[in-house]
Amino acid sequence: MSWRWALARRVAALAATGGGRGAQAQRLLPTSSAAAGTCLLGRHHMPLTSQIRSKVVGCRGAALVSSRWLHDAQYQVRQDGASRAQQDPFELVADELSLLANRLRSMVAAEVPKLASAAEYFFKVGAEGKRFRPTVLLLMASALKFPLSESTEGGVLSILADKLRTRQQNIAEITEMIHVASLLHDDVLDDADTRRGVSSLNLIMGNKLSVLAGDFLLSRACVALAALGNTEVVSLMATAVEHLVTGETMQISTSREQRRSMEYYLQKTYYKTASLISNSCKAVAILAGHTAEVSMFAYEYGRNLGLAFQLIDDVLDFTGTSASLGKGSLSDIRHGIITAPMLYAIEEFPQLQEIVDRGFDNSANIEIALDYLRKSRGIERTKELAREHADRAVKAIESLPDSDDEDVLTSRRALIDITERVITRTK
Amino acid sequence: MSWRWALARRVAKLAATDGGGGAQAQRLLPTSSAAAGTGLLGRLHMPLASQIRSKVVGCRGAALVSSRWLHDAQYQVRQDGASRAQEQQDPFELVADELSLLANRLRSMVAAEVPKLASAAEYFFKVGAEGKRFRPTVLLLMASALKFPLSESTEGGVLSILADKLRTRQQNIAEITEMIHVASLLHDDVLDDADTRRGVSSLNLIMGNKLSVLAGDFLLSRACVALAALGNTEVVSLMATAVEHLVTGETMQISTSREQRRSMEYYLQKTYYKTASLISNSCKAVAILAGHTAEVSMLAYEYGRNLGLAFQLIDDVLDFTGTSASLGKGSLSDIRHGIITAPMLYAIEEFPQLQEVVDRGFDNPANIEIALDYLRKSRGIERTKELAREHADRAVKAIESLPDSDDEDVLTSRRALIDITERVITRTK
């Protein structure tokens, strides 16, 4: 815990000297060039930041609209007393992210033009999904940096540190490839028409090409994995791939028994949503040469973050941007997917089970189910569970070995920020 | 080359001592329990072989019908002059025990994990049975062909245990290869909306697609985990490249432009990707696991590559000729799907006007007849067979270039690998 107090003391010191800027410590700084200049911890950014940032902001323009929850100026500050500077975590790694995006694009270049355009499809669109995982992974890499003494600047250790960073960036790229491959296949499985607001690839180019493109991305990811030359990491990511498939299988083939079970649901959610990010966080730690214990903390952060994310996703599917029920897209229930809020409601109102069993092809049935949900504490309990997981994610970060390095402290703070945003987002 | 003469001498000696068995040296021994008892190299089989074999023969019964080319008693002996005692042990026999082990593992794995896929699981074992056994057979034989010599005194010792461990790992390569192969078959089956016009109901299309995608993903993910477990990143890389090639090959097939459909080069590249890459890369993986040099590993790769290409070229011929020698009696499924294969490409070289006929497409069966006519007049079939022979010869050369060995298993397996190239070329179905 001690590193957090170190950070708090440092921020307080800066606030004292920064005068008027102290007031900003209480709220999130919006992503604008103003942020670059006035940010309290601005001097820790890499050189050429503002130049690159305006370019990055430019081409991300469209994406920002949909990823606003990461940048919303009105998110609530955690009421735990410590006053902290709230750097946009996304900003911290913006430069690296565009590097990754470019590398990814070149990594999925294919000989056959049709395959190339299919593979690239999701590296053009779907920005917020594309940035979440890599952001977390790059921040984790920074949060786990071993201390380098100043005198080794430009020396051998510095070169090794760069090499390590590149390898950790590769993990982020590999993770994205695996993620997009699974999206491409899921869209075929779901007969999806749209994905993130644009036409799904299978609609445009056909089911078969989507499947082939997914396989292509997966094989490229495997080659990139092999190139890291670390068999434990290969194993971790292969397990993540297997979990994605297992989760999808669980979703498609749930029996009625299983659809009632919160345990089954959480297991499936771990497989489908949390396993990839948790295993890649762990891989980042392993590449850095950390102990099994520290690697497990990285894993636990990823796992709990992923679960919290999905649980809030479940809530938002019912509530949407309003606080009231039924205003969300209701896409889960329309597809017959029974999520946490409904499962909790069934615990309180057993008669709801019968309604759920009847299925939801009939929209009147959906209304009845929503009615029960409204009466129950389903939404609240889901939010509570999400909070629980977010807290565990924070604890994992707090258990990391102490460090004095400012980058390390900033990144850890950012990772904690992210857990907060995941819980409090409204879209 | 010397190891071949060593084998020949040994076989000649056995034939001399075995009396009546010598006559059998000239022809292929059919797969029957007779083979187990009278096989000239029978004593090299693993213990309990005959017991297991009769079980295996039993459940392979149905599969044998379609894979007869591997077991046909009348295949022709290579006419290259050297009178060798043709120890024509069925190569399939040599690894029969291991094969049924692999097949059972694969079957139970899929059915258990994805219950809905029980019927899909049967798919793996009804269709392409000879395809299913072909790859693992080649890989297991390659593993044996590449065995490092162990001195007798290490029987049961540390080296022996290590050898067993290696064998298991090489079997894993065979399993992984099958998983990848079947996954690609399943994904190739995924239909687009256009295909519903051929009378497939839309519900069937949706469910069929979902199961195909899911089952294929399941197999691929299992292959990934199994690969990772081998702890060899070079092998991971090889097999991942093979997957990439399969996808590239299939994409080439579904998205050929008119230009590309005329090109023999494009066709051979596509054929390498779709048919030869998997077997060549897994042969190489088998060598790498054994710790062989890059040179030896490349020889293994070359064998697989040339074998795969020869196989596909003969496949192309058979699609036209079928079991008869005459044209047009085959299933003609390639041409009906608009896939222009080697014989036709050669014919187009001889008769440029055939290009126009091909460009018209083959929805109209009359057009097929016209094309077949040209093909008949051309040397398309012959030249394809010649090209296949060329590749088979290169495969044989690769085996002959392997480091010398005295070990009987090694010699037998190498002989079997050469046998297989012969069967690939001379099969009639």
Side-chain angles (χ1 to χ4, degrees):
Chain A
M1 259 294 272
S2 64
W3 69 262
R4 296 197 67 175
W5 292 115
L7 175 63
R9 281 195 302 271
R10 188 162 302 143
V11 165
L14 283 169
T17 52
R21 294 196 220 120
Q24 285 179 350
Q26 299 297 330
R27 65 176 177 87
L28 168 66
L29 300 166
T31 50
S32 64
S33 45
T38 59
C39 154
L40 284 171
L41 298 168
R43 55 193 168 90
H44 298 300
H45 280 224
M46 292 182 268
L48 298 176
T49 322
S50 38
Q51 197 178 332
I52 296 168
R53 187 165 301 110
S54 50
K55 263 208 284 186
V56 167
V57 167
C59 52
R60 272 189 294 143
L64 281 176
V65 174
S66 43
S67 57
R68 194 134 24 110
W69 69 268
L70 264 179
H71 314 289
D72 202 318
Q74 265 97 40
Y75 93 83
Q76 301 176 8
V77 176
R78 271 187 87 173
Q79 303 299 331
D80 64 353
S83 66
R84 292 186 282 281
Q86 280 134 25
Q87 181 79 32
D88 182 347
F90 191 58
E91 276 293 303
L92 287 172
V93 293
D95 310 318
E96 275 183 296
L97 280 180
S98 52
L99 192 72
L100 262 59
N102 287 336
R103 275 213 293 255
L104 260 174
R105 243 186 297 269
S106 64
M107 278 169 92
V108 301
E111 271 179 54
V112 184
K114 263 203 163 173
L115 200 56
S117 43
E120 276 179 20
Y121 189 76
F122 282 112
F123 297 106
K124 287 181 188 155
V125 300
E128 80 280 16
K130 178 167 71 75
R131 294 216 162 77
F132 182 60
R133 272 169 220 80
T135 300
V136 167
L137 292 171
L138 293 173
L139 287 172
M140 182 61 78
S142 299
L144 292 172
K145 273 200 309 194
F146 283 106
L148 287 183
S149 71
E150 291 306 317
S151 60
T152 58
E153 193 62 45
V156 163
L157 284 179
S158 184
I159 295 168
L160 287 176
D162 285 343
K163 207 164 161 37
L164 170 62
R165 189 70 179 192
T166 303
R167 286 156 66 77
Q168 289 167 326
Q169 288 169 353
N170 293 150
I171 293 288
E173 288 153 22
I174 288 163
T175 302
E176 269 320 277
M177 284 192 272
I178 291 174
H179 172 62
V180 173
S182 74
L183 289 184
L184 287 171
H185 282 193
D186 282 356
D187 281 347
V188 172
L189 290 169
D190 294 338
D191 282 320
D193 284 336
T194 58
R195 159 75 66 181
R196 296 182 186 145
V198 295
S199 297
S200 58
L201 183 72
N202 50 303
L203 188 71
I204 296 178
M205 293 180 101
N207 284 331
K208 185 161 182 180
L209 200 59
S210 295
V211 173
L212 290 176
D215 291 346
F216 177 76
L217 285 173
L218 190 62
S219 64
R220 281 287 165 103
C222 285
V223 172
L225 260 181
L228 291 174
N230 183 315
T231 55
E232 193 179 354
V233 165
V234 174
S235 221
L236 277 175
M237 302 308 288
T239 303
V241 170
E242 188 182 52
H243 284 176
L244 282 169
V245 175
T246 305
E248 195 56 37
T249 307
M250 283 171 88
Q251 183 147 296
I252 284 208
S253 56
T254 10
S255 69
R256 276 176 55 167
E257 288 273 313
Q258 290 160 332
R259 284 196 334 161
R260 309 175 183 191
S261 160
M262 179 62 100
E263 196 182 324
Y264 188 84
Y265 169 77
L266 287 174
Q267 178 71 319
K268 183 199 79 174
T269 299
Y270 167 71
Y271 283 148
K272 274 181 71 80
T273 313
S275 170
L276 182 59
I277 187 69
S278 58
N279 280 305
S280 27
C281 280
K282 188 174 180 183
V284 161
I286 284 172
L287 280 183
H290 279 286
T291 61
E293 194 192 7
V294 171
S295 306
M296 271 320 284
F297 287 135
Y299 175 89
E300 279 303 312
Y301 174 80
R303 192 182 87 92
N304 285 294
L305 184 73
L307 289 172
F309 184 92
Q310 188 57 50
L311 288 164
I312 296 298
D313 221 51
D314 293 346
V315 166
L316 291 176
D317 194 59
F318 285 111
T319 62
T321 53
S322 77
S324 53
L325 219 62
K327 295 290 174 62
S329 58
L330 300 176
S331 86
D332 288 332
I333 202 171
R334 280 193 240 271
H335 281 93
I337 298 170
I338 309 305
T339 59
M342 200 60 82
L343 288 167
Y344 277 131
I346 292 173
E347 276 180 28
E348 285 179 58
F349 297 100
Q351 60 271 42
L352 177 53
Q353 182 64 63
E354 204 198 307
I355 294 167
V356 164
D357 287 342
R358 284 206 296 257
F360 293 102
D361 292 325
N362 177 0
S363 45
N365 220 24
I366 295 183
E367 271 314 311
I368 300 173
L370 287 180
D371 219 41
Y372 274 106
L373 184 57
R374 232 172 253 118
K375 283 189 284 191
S376 75
R377 286 194 65 243
I379 297 285
E380 288 84 4
R381 287 175 70 190
T382 307
K383 286 186 179 178
E384 280 164 21
L385 185 58
R387 162 68 62 190
E388 220 180 280
H389 283 294
D391 286 347
R392 282 189 223 163
V394 170
K395 262 200 198 49
I397 297 297
E398 289 174 350
S399 310
L400 292 174
D402 286 345
S403 172
D404 270 337
D405 189 320
E406 304 225 35
D407 276 341
V408 171
L409 299 176
T410 313
S411 310
R412 293 181 186 188
R413 176 69 200 129
L415 287 172
I416 291 177
D417 266 1
I418 287 180
T419 68
E420 194 57 37
R421 292 172 200 243
V422 159
I423 311 268
T424 54
R425 67 194 167 107
T426 50
K427 56 166 62 176
Chain B
M1 262 292 273
S2 63
W3 66 265
R4 295 196 71 177
W5 291 116
L7 175 63
R9 282 196 299 274
R10 187 162 303 144
V11 167
K13 225 175 15 166
L14 285 168
T17 52
D18 218 336
Q24 285 178 351
Q26 298 298 329
R27 64 177 177 85
L28 167 65
L29 300 166
T31 50
S32 62
S33 43
T38 59
L40 284 171
L41 298 168
R43 56 194 167 87
L44 293 173
H45 281 221
M46 294 181 270
L48 298 176
S50 38
Q51 195 179 334
I52 297 169
R53 190 166 298 110
S54 48
K55 261 207 289 187
V56 166
V57 167
C59 54
R60 271 192 295 143
L64 281 176
V65 174
S66 46
S67 56
R68 193 130 29 105
W69 69 266
L70 264 180
H71 313 290
D72 202 317
Q74 265 97 41
Y75 92 84
Q76 301 178 4
V77 176
R78 272 184 88 173
Q79 302 299 334
D80 64 353
S83 66
R84 286 190 283 283
Q86 291 298 338
E87 188 37 61
Q88 282 137 23
Q89 183 76 33
D90 183 348
F92 191 56
E93 275 295 298
L94 290 172
V95 292
D97 312 319
E98 279 181 296
L99 279 181
S100 55
L101 196 70
L102 264 57
N104 287 335
R105 278 207 290 248
L106 197 62
R107 198 195 330 247
S108 61
M109 201 194 308
V110 176
E113 288 293 330
V114 198
K116 268 194 171 179
L117 297 181
S119 51
E122 279 176 32
Y123 172 95
F124 311 152
F125 303 96
K126 280 190 189 148
V127 301
E130 76 276 19
K132 174 172 69 78
R133 295 223 161 73
F134 182 61
R135 272 168 221 81
T137 300
V138 166
L139 292 171
L140 293 173
L141 287 172
M142 181 62 76
S144 299
L146 293 172
K147 274 201 305 195
F148 283 107
L150 288 182
S151 71
E152 291 307 314
S153 59
T154 57
E155 193 64 42
V158 163
L159 285 179
S160 185
I161 294 168
L162 287 176
D164 285 345
K165 208 164 162 31
L166 170 63
R167 188 67 179 196
T168 303
R169 285 156 65 78
Q170 290 167 326
Q171 287 170 354
N172 293 149
I173 293 286
E175 283 160 26
I176 289 164
T177 301
E178 270 319 275
M179 285 190 261
I180 291 174
H181 170 64
V182 176
S184 75
L185 288 183
L186 287 167
H187 282 183
D188 285 354
D189 273 355
V190 169
L191 301 171
D192 288 318
D193 291 335
D195 296 314
T196 57
R197 284 186 240 124
R198 295 192 192 126
V200 179
S201 81
S202 58
L203 180 65
N204 214 22
L205 170 72
I206 293 171
M207 279 318 291
N209 270 356
K210 288 187 183 186
L211 291 181
S212 292
V213 174
L214 201 54
D217 284 348
F218 175 77
L219 286 171
L220 275 180
S221 69
R222 274 300 166 101
C224 283
V225 172
L227 265 178
L230 289 174
N232 183 314
T233 54
E234 195 180 353
V235 166
V236 173
S237 211
L238 279 175
M239 301 309 286
T241 303
V243 173
E244 185 186 310
H245 286 175
L246 282 169
V247 170
T248 305
E250 184 61 23
T251 308
M252 283 171 89
Q253 183 148 296
I254 61 177
S255 60
T256 11
S257 69
R258 275 177 56 168
E259 289 272 312
Q260 291 160 332
R261 280 191 346 155
R262 308 175 185 194
S263 161
M264 179 60 100
E265 198 182 322
Y266 187 82
Y267 169 77
L268 287 173
Q269 177 72 317
K270 183 200 79 173
T271 299
Y272 167 70
Y273 283 149
K274 272 183 72 79
T275 313
S277 171
L278 183 58
I279 188 67
S280 57
N281 281 305
S282 27
C283 279
K284 188 173 180 183
V286 162
I288 284 172
L289 280 184
H292 279 285
T293 61
E295 194 194 2
V296 171
S297 305
M298 269 320 285
L299 290 171
Y301 175 89
E302 279 303 313
Y303 173 81
R305 193 181 88 91
N306 285 294
L307 184 73
L309 289 171
F311 183 93
Q312 187 57 50
L313 289 164
I314 296 297
D315 221 52
D316 293 346
V317 167
L318 292 176
D319 194 57
F320 285 111
T321 63
T323 52
S324 77
S326 56
L327 217 62
K329 295 290 174 62
S331 59
L332 299 175
S333 86
D334 288 333
I335 203 173
R336 280 195 240 271
H337 282 93
I339 299 170
I340 310 303
T341 57
M344 199 61 81
L345 287 167
Y346 277 131
I348 292 174
E349 275 178 31
E350 286 178 58
F351 297 100
Q353 60 272 43
L354 176 54
Q355 182 63 62
E356 206 199 303
V357 176
V358 164
D359 285 344
R360 286 208 294 263
F362 294 103
D363 290 326
N364 178 1
N367 219 25
I368 295 182
E369 271 314 308
I370 299 174
L372 287 180
D373 220 42
Y374 275 107
L375 185 56
R376 231 172 253 119
K377 282 189 284 191
S378 75
R379 286 195 63 246
I381 297 287
E382 288 81 4
R383 286 174 72 189
T384 306
K385 286 185 179 178
E386 280 163 21
L387 185 58
R389 164 65 65 191
E390 221 180 281
H391 283 294
D393 285 347
R394 283 190 223 163
V396 170
K397 261 200 198 51
I399 296 299
E400 289 175 349
S401 311
L402 291 175
D404 286 344
S405 171
D406 270 338
D407 187 318
E408 302 222 35
D409 275 342
V410 172
L411 298 176
T412 313
S413 308
R414 293 183 188 186
R415 177 76 196 123
L417 286 172
I418 291 177
D419 267 2
I420 286 179
T421 70
E422 194 58 36
R423 290 170 202 243
V424 160
I425 312 267
T426 55
R427 67 195 168 108
T428 51
K429 57 165 60 172

